[in-house]
Coordinates of all heavy atoms in Angstrom, one line a residue:
M1 N 14.8 9.0 6.7 CA 13.3 8.9 6.5 C 12.8 9.3 5.1 O 13.3 10.4 4.6 CB 12.7 9.9 7.5 CG 11.2 9.9 7.6 SD 10.6 10.9 8.9 CE 9.1 11.5 8.3
S2 N 12.2 8.4 4.4 CA 11.8 8.6 3.1 C 10.3 8.7 3.0 O 9.5 8.2 3.8 CB 12.3 7.4 2.3 OG 11.8 6.3 2.6
E3 N 9.8 9.3 2.0 CA 8.5 9.5 1.7 C 7.8 8.3 0.9 O 8.5 7.6 0.2 CB 8.2 10.7 0.8 CG 8.7 12.0 1.4 CD 8.6 13.1 0.4 OE1 9.3 13.1 -0.6 OE2 7.8 14.0 0.5
R4 N 6.7 8.1 1.3 CA 5.9 6.8 0.5 C 5.7 7.3 -0.9 O 5.6 6.4 -1.7 CB 4.6 6.6 1.1 CG 4.6 5.3 2.0 CD 3.1 4.9 2.3 NE 2.2 5.9 2.7 CZ 0.9 5.7 2.5 NH1 0.3 4.6 2.0 NH2 0.1 6.6 2.9
F5 N 5.5 8.6 -1.2 CA 5.2 9.1 -2.5 C 6.1 10.3 -2.8 O 5.6 11.4 -2.8 CB 3.7 9.5 -2.6 CG 2.7 8.4 -2.1 CD1 2.1 8.5 -0.9 CD2 2.5 7.3 -2.9 CE1 1.2 7.4 -0.6 CE2 1.6 6.3 -2.6 CZ 1.0 6.4 -1.4
P6 N 7.4 9.9 -3.2 CA 8.3 11.0 -3.4 C 7.8 11.9 -4.5 O 7.4 11.5 -5.7 CB 9.6 10.3 -3.9 CG 9.4 8.9 -3.4 CD 8.0 8.6 -3.3
G7 N 7.9 13.1 -4.4 CA 7.6 14.2 -5.4 C 6.2 14.4 -5.7 O 5.8 15.2 -6.5
I8 N 5.3 13.8 -4.8 CA 3.9 14.0 -4.9 C 3.5 15.2 -4.0 O 3.8 15.3 -2.9 CB 3.1 12.8 -4.6 CG1 3.4 11.6 -5.4 CG2 1.6 13.2 -4.6 CD1 3.0 11.9 -6.9
D9 N 2.7 16.1 -4.6 CA 2.1 17.2 -3.9 C 0.8 16.9 -3.5 O -0.1 16.5 -4.2 CB 2.1 18.5 -4.7 CG 3.5 19.0 -5.1 OD1 4.3 18.9 -4.2 OD2 3.6 19.5 -6.2
W10 N 0.4 17.0 -2.1 CA -0.8 16.7 -1.7 C -1.6 17.9 -1.4 O -1.1 18.9 -0.9 CB -0.8 15.9 -0.4 CG 0.0 14.6 -0.6 CD1 1.2 14.2 -0.3 CD2 -0.8 13.4 -1.1 NE1 1.5 12.9 -0.7 CE2 0.3 12.3 -1.2 CE3 -1.9 13.1 -1.5 CZ2 0.0 11.1 -1.6 CZ3 -2.2 11.7 -2.0 CH2 -1.2 10.8 -2.0
F11 N -2.9 17.9 -1.8 CA -3.8 19.1 -1.6 C -5.1 18.5 -1.0 O -5.5 17.5 -1.2 CB -4.1 19.7 -2.9 CG -2.9 20.4 -3.6 CD1 -2.1 19.7 -4.5 CD2 -2.6 21.7 -3.2 CE1 -1.1 20.3 -5.1 CE2 -1.4 22.3 -3.8 CZ -0.7 21.5 -4.7
C12 N -5.6 19.4 -0.1 CA -6.9 19.1 0.5 C -8.0 19.0 -0.5 O -8.1 19.8 -1.4 CB -7.2 20.2 1.6 SG -8.8 19.9 2.4
D13 N -8.7 17.8 -0.3 CA -10.0 17.7 -1.3 C -11.0 18.7 -1.1 O -11.8 18.9 -2.0 CB -10.5 16.2 -1.0 CG -9.6 15.2 -1.5 OD1 -8.8 15.4 -2.3 OD2 -9.8 14.0 -1.0
R14 N -11.1 19.4 0.1 CA -12.2 20.2 0.3 C -11.7 21.8 -0.1 O -12.4 22.4 -0.9 CB -12.6 20.2 1.7 CG -13.7 21.1 1.9 CD -14.3 21.1 3.4 NE -15.0 20.0 3.8 CZ -15.2 19.8 5.0 NH1 -14.9 20.5 6.1 NH2 -16.0 18.7 5.4
C15 N -10.6 22.1 0.6 CA -10.3 23.6 0.4 C -9.1 23.8 -0.5 O -8.8 24.9 -0.8 CB -10.0 24.2 1.8 SG -8.4 23.7 2.5
G16 N -8.4 22.9 -0.9 CA -7.3 23.0 -1.9 C -6.0 23.4 -1.2 O -5.0 23.7 -2.0
A17 N -6.0 23.5 0.1 CA -4.8 23.9 0.8 C -3.6 22.8 0.5 O -3.9 21.6 0.3 CB -4.9 24.0 2.3
S18 N -2.4 23.3 0.4 CA -1.3 22.3 0.2 C -1.1 21.6 1.5 O -0.9 22.2 2.6 CB -0.1 23.1 -0.1 OG 1.1 22.2 -0.2
L19 N -1.2 20.3 1.5 CA -1.0 19.5 2.8 C 0.4 19.2 3.2 O 0.6 19.2 4.3 CB -1.9 18.1 2.6 CG -3.3 18.3 2.2 CD1 -3.9 16.8 2.1 CD2 -4.0 19.0 3.3
D20 N 1.2 19.0 2.1 CA 2.5 18.5 2.5 C 3.4 19.7 3.1 O 4.5 19.4 3.6 CB 3.3 17.9 1.4 CG 3.0 18.6 0.1 OD1 2.4 19.7 0.0 OD2 3.5 18.1 -1.0
T21 N 2.9 20.9 3.2 CA 3.5 22.0 3.9 C 3.0 22.1 5.3 O 3.5 23.0 6.0 CB 3.5 23.3 3.1 OG1 2.1 23.7 2.9 CG2 4.2 23.2 1.7
Q22 N 2.0 21.4 5.6 CA 1.3 21.6 7.0 C 2.2 21.0 8.0 O 2.8 19.9 7.7 CB 0.0 21.1 7.0 CG -0.9 21.9 6.1 CD -2.4 21.5 6.1 OE1 -2.7 20.4 6.8 NE2 -3.3 22.2 5.4
P23 N 2.4 21.6 9.2 CA 3.2 21.1 10.2 C 2.9 19.6 10.6 O 1.7 19.3 10.9 CB 3.0 22.0 11.5 CG 2.4 23.3 10.9 CD 1.7 22.8 9.6
G24 N 3.8 18.8 10.5 CA 3.6 17.4 11.0 C 3.1 16.5 9.9 O 3.0 15.3 10.1
F25 N 2.9 17.1 8.7 CA 2.4 16.2 7.6 C 3.4 15.0 7.4 O 4.7 15.2 7.3 CB 2.2 16.9 6.3 CG 1.8 16.1 5.2 CD1 0.4 15.7 5.1 CD2 2.6 15.6 4.2 CE1 -0.1 14.9 4.1 CE2 2.2 14.8 3.1 CZ 0.8 14.4 3.1
D26 N 2.9 13.9 7.1 CA 3.8 12.7 6.8 C 3.0 11.7 5.9 O 1.8 11.4 6.3 CB 4.0 11.9 8.2 CG 4.8 10.7 8.1 OD1 5.0 10.3 6.9 OD2 5.3 10.2 9.1
D27 N 3.5 11.5 4.8 CA 2.7 10.7 3.8 C 2.7 9.2 4.2 O 2.1 8.5 3.5 CB 3.0 11.1 2.4 CG 4.5 10.4 2.0 OD1 5.2 9.8 2.9 OD2 4.9 10.6 0.9
H28 N 3.2 8.9 5.3 CA 3.1 7.5 5.7 C 1.8 7.2 6.6 O 1.3 6.2 6.8 CB 4.3 7.1 6.7 CG 5.6 7.0 6.0 ND1 6.4 7.9 5.6 CD2 6.2 5.7 5.5 CE1 7.4 7.5 5.0 NE2 7.4 6.2 4.9
K29 N 1.2 8.5 6.8 CA -0.2 8.4 7.5 C -1.2 8.1 6.3 O -1.0 8.4 5.2 CB -0.5 9.7 8.0 CG 0.4 10.1 9.2 CD -0.1 11.5 9.7 CE 1.0 12.1 10.7 NZ 1.0 11.4 12.0
Y30 N -2.2 7.4 6.7 CA -3.2 7.1 5.7 C -4.4 8.2 5.7 O -5.0 8.2 4.6 CB -3.8 5.6 6.0 CG -2.7 4.7 5.8 CD1 -1.9 4.0 6.7 CD2 -2.6 4.2 4.4 CE1 -0.9 3.2 6.4 CE2 -1.6 3.2 4.1 CZ -0.9 2.8 5.1 OH 0.1 1.9 4.8
I31 N -4.4 8.9 6.7 CA -5.3 10.0 6.8 C -4.7 11.3 7.2 O -3.9 11.1 8.3 CB -6.5 9.5 7.8 CG1 -7.3 8.4 7.3 CG2 -7.4 10.9 8.0 CD1 -8.1 8.7 6.1
W32 N -4.9 12.2 6.6 CA -4.4 13.6 7.1 C -5.5 14.6 7.2 O -6.2 14.8 6.3 CB -3.3 14.2 6.1 CG -2.8 15.5 6.7 CD1 -3.0 16.7 6.2 CD2 -1.9 15.7 7.8 NE1 -2.4 17.6 6.9 CE2 -1.7 17.1 7.9 CE3 -1.3 14.9 8.8 CZ2 -1.0 17.6 8.9 CZ3 -0.5 15.4 9.7 CH2 -0.3 16.8 9.8
R33 N -5.6 15.1 8.4 CA -6.6 16.1 8.7 C -6.1 17.5 8.4 O -5.1 18.0 9.0 CB -7.1 16.1 10.2 CG -8.3 16.8 10.5 CD -8.8 16.4 11.9 NE -9.7 17.4 12.4 CZ -9.4 18.6 13.1 NH1 -8.1 18.9 13.1 NH2 -10.2 19.4 13.4
C34 N -6.8 18.1 7.4 CA -6.2 19.5 7.0 C -6.4 20.5 8.1 O -7.5 20.5 8.8 CB -7.1 19.9 5.8 SG -6.9 21.6 5.2
I35 N -5.3 21.2 8.3 CA -5.4 22.1 9.5 C -6.1 23.4 9.2 O -6.6 24.1 9.9 CB -4.0 22.5 10.0 CG1 -3.2 23.2 8.8 CG2 -3.2 21.3 10.4 CD1 -1.9 23.9 9.4
E36 N -6.4 23.6 7.8 CA -7.2 24.8 7.4 C -8.7 24.6 7.6 O -9.3 25.5 8.0 CB -6.9 25.0 5.8 CG -5.5 25.3 5.5 CD -5.0 26.7 6.0 OE1 -5.9 27.5 6.2 OE2 -3.8 26.8 6.2
C37 N -9.2 23.4 7.1 CA -10.6 23.2 7.2 C -11.1 22.1 8.0 O -12.2 21.9 8.3 CB -11.2 23.1 5.7 SG -10.8 21.6 5.0
G38 N -10.1 21.1 8.3 CA -10.4 20.0 9.2 C -10.9 18.7 8.4 O -11.2 17.7 9.0
H39 N -10.9 19.0 7.0 CA -11.3 17.8 6.2 C -10.2 16.7 6.4 O -9.1 16.9 6.3 CB -11.4 18.2 4.8 CG -11.8 17.1 3.9 ND1 -13.1 16.7 3.9 CD2 -11.2 16.5 2.8 CE1 -13.3 15.7 3.0 NE2 -12.0 15.5 2.4
K40 N -10.8 15.4 6.5 CA -9.9 14.3 6.5 C -9.5 13.7 5.2 O -10.5 13.3 4.5 CB -10.4 13.3 7.4 CG -10.5 13.6 8.9 CD -11.1 12.4 9.7 CE -11.2 12.9 11.2 NZ -12.1 12.1 12.0
N41 N -8.3 13.9 4.8 CA -8.0 13.5 3.4 C -7.3 12.2 3.5 O -6.5 11.9 4.4 CB -6.9 14.6 2.8 CG -7.6 15.8 2.5 OD1 -8.1 16.1 1.5 ND2 -7.5 16.8 3.5
S42 N -7.6 11.3 2.5 CA -7.1 10.0 2.4 C -5.7 10.2 1.6 O -5.6 10.6 0.5 CB -8.1 9.1 1.7 OG -7.3 8.0 1.2
I43 N -4.6 9.7 2.2 CA -3.3 9.7 1.5 C -3.0 8.4 1.0 O -2.5 7.5 1.7 CB -2.3 10.1 2.6 CG1 -2.6 11.4 3.4 CG2 -0.9 10.2 1.9 CD1 -2.8 12.5 2.4
S44 N -3.4 8.2 -0.3 CA -3.0 6.9 -0.9 C -2.9 7.0 -2.4 O -3.3 8.1 -2.9 CB -4.3 5.9 -0.7 OG -5.4 6.3 -1.4
S45 N -2.3 6.0 -3.0 CA -2.0 6.1 -4.5 C -3.3 6.4 -5.3 O -3.3 6.9 -6.4 CB -1.3 4.9 -4.9 OG -2.1 3.7 -4.7
T46 N -4.4 6.0 -4.8 CA -5.7 6.1 -5.6 C -6.1 7.5 -5.7 O -6.9 7.8 -6.5 CB -6.8 5.4 -4.9 OG1 -7.1 5.7 -3.7 CG2 -6.5 3.8 -5.0
N47 N -5.5 8.4 -4.8 CA -5.8 9.7 -4.8 C -4.8 10.6 -5.6 O -4.8 11.9 -5.5 CB -5.9 10.3 -3.4 CG -7.3 9.8 -2.9 OD1 -8.2 9.5 -3.5 ND2 -7.2 9.4 -1.5
I48 N -3.9 10.1 -6.3 CA -2.9 10.7 -7.1 C -3.3 11.0 -8.5 O -3.7 10.1 -9.1 CB -1.5 10.0 -7.0 CG1 -1.0 9.9 -5.6 CG2 -0.5 10.7 -7.9 CD1 0.3 9.0 -5.6
Y49 N -3.3 12.3 -8.8 CA -3.7 12.7 -10.2 C -2.5 13.3 -10.9 O -1.7 14.0 -10.1 CB -4.9 13.6 -10.2 CG -6.1 13.0 -9.6 CD1 -6.4 12.9 -8.2 CD2 -7.1 12.5 -10.5 CE1 -7.5 12.3 -7.7 CE2 -8.2 11.8 -9.9 CZ -8.4 11.7 -8.6 OH -9.5 11.2 -8.0
D50 N -2.4 13.2 -12.1 CA -1.3 13.8 -12.8 C -1.3 15.4 -12.7 O -0.3 16.0 -12.8 CB -1.3 13.5 -14.4 CG -0.9 11.9 -14.4 OD1 -0.2 11.4 -13.6 OD2 -1.3 11.4 -15.6
S51 N -2.5 15.9 -12.7 CA -2.6 17.3 -12.6 C -3.9 17.7 -12.0 O -4.8 16.9 -11.8 CB -2.6 17.9 -14.0 OG -3.7 17.7 -14.7
H52 N -4.0 19.0 -11.6 CA -5.2 19.4 -11.0 C -6.4 19.3 -12.0 O -7.5 19.0 -11.6 CB -5.1 20.9 -10.6 CG -4.4 21.0 -9.2 ND1 -4.9 21.7 -8.1 CD2 -3.2 20.6 -8.8 CE1 -4.1 21.7 -7.1 NE2 -3.1 21.0 -7.6
E53 N -6.2 19.5 -13.3 CA -7.2 19.4 -14.3 C -7.7 18.0 -14.3 O -8.9 17.7 -14.3 CB -6.6 19.7 -15.7 CG -6.7 21.1 -16.0 CD -6.1 21.4 -17.5 OE1 -6.1 20.5 -18.1 OE2 -5.9 22.7 -17.6
D54 N -6.9 17.0 -14.3 CA -7.3 15.5 -14.2 C -8.1 15.3 -13.0 O -9.1 14.7 -13.0 CB -6.1 14.6 -14.1 CG -5.4 14.5 -15.5 OD1 -5.9 15.1 -16.5 OD2 -4.4 13.7 -15.6
Y55 N -7.6 16.0 -11.8 CA -8.4 15.8 -10.7 C -9.8 16.3 -10.8 O -10.8 15.6 -10.5 CB -7.7 16.4 -9.5 CG -8.5 16.6 -8.2 CD1 -8.7 15.4 -7.4 CD2 -9.1 17.7 -7.8 CE1 -9.5 15.4 -6.3 CE2 -9.9 17.8 -6.5 CZ -10.0 16.6 -5.9 OH -10.7 16.7 -4.8
W56 N -10.0 17.5 -11.2 CA -11.3 18.1 -11.3 C -12.1 17.5 -12.4 O -13.3 17.3 -12.2 CB -11.1 19.6 -11.7 CG -10.6 20.4 -10.5 CD1 -9.3 20.9 -10.5 CD2 -11.1 20.6 -9.2 NE1 -9.1 21.5 -9.2 CE2 -10.2 21.2 -8.4 CE3 -12.3 20.1 -8.6 CZ2 -10.4 21.6 -7.1 CZ3 -12.5 20.4 -7.2 CH2 -11.6 21.1 -6.5
N57 N -11.5 17.0 -13.6 CA -12.2 16.3 -14.6 C -12.8 15.0 -14.0 O -13.8 14.5 -14.3 CB -11.4 16.1 -15.8 CG -11.0 17.4 -16.5 OD1 -11.8 18.4 -16.4 ND2 -10.1 17.5 -17.3
G58 N -12.0 14.3 -13.3 CA -12.3 13.0 -12.7 C -13.4 13.1 -11.7 O -13.9 12.0 -11.2
K59 N -13.6 14.3 -11.2 CA -14.4 14.5 -9.9 C -16.0 14.4 -10.3 O -16.8 14.3 -9.4 CB -14.1 15.9 -9.3 CG -14.6 16.1 -8.0 CD -13.8 15.5 -7.0 CE -14.2 15.8 -5.6 NZ -13.6 15.1 -4.5
E60 N -16.3 14.6 -11.5 CA -17.7 14.5 -12.0 C -18.5 13.5 -11.4 O -18.3 12.3 -11.6 CB -17.8 14.5 -13.4 CG -17.1 15.6 -14.3 CD -18.0 17.0 -14.3 OE1 -18.7 17.1 -13.3 OE2 -17.9 17.7 -15.2
Ligands
ZN101 ZN1 -8.7 21.8 3.8

């Protein structure tokens, strides 16, 4: 079983929780519901940022 996005760390868009450590997380899913806050995060290449700074800067 391989990951769609090897080496990518996924974080919740709302609360910032690490998603890939949550039970049952699978990056083959297109939507992952954060177990911390319930936010539905989209798991796709358009949501990959090089760093958290890029993420926050691009969020404006
Ligand atoms: Zn969350």
Side-chain angles (χ1 to χ4, degrees):
M1 185 168 146
S2 61
E3 297 174 293
R4 254 196 319 154
F5 305 106
I8 298 297
D9 296 324
W10 295 99
F11 294 92
C12 177
D13 287 340
R14 182 188 282 170
C15 73
S18 176
L19 300 180
D20 40 5
T21 59
Q22 294 184 356
F25 179 81
D26 178 351
D27 70 2
H28 289 82
K29 296 177 191 291
Y30 290 92
I31 297 289
W32 178 255
R33 188 169 165 278
C34 176
I35 62 169
E36 299 290 337
C37 71
H39 183 69
K40 287 178 182 162
N41 294 275
S42 159
I43 306 300
S44 73
S45 57
T46 59
N47 289 325
I48 296 175
Y49 296 84
D50 288 338
S51 69
H52 278 237
E53 273 182 17
D54 285 356
Y55 171 72
W56 293 114
N57 290 341
K59 194 78 176 173
E60 297 282 34

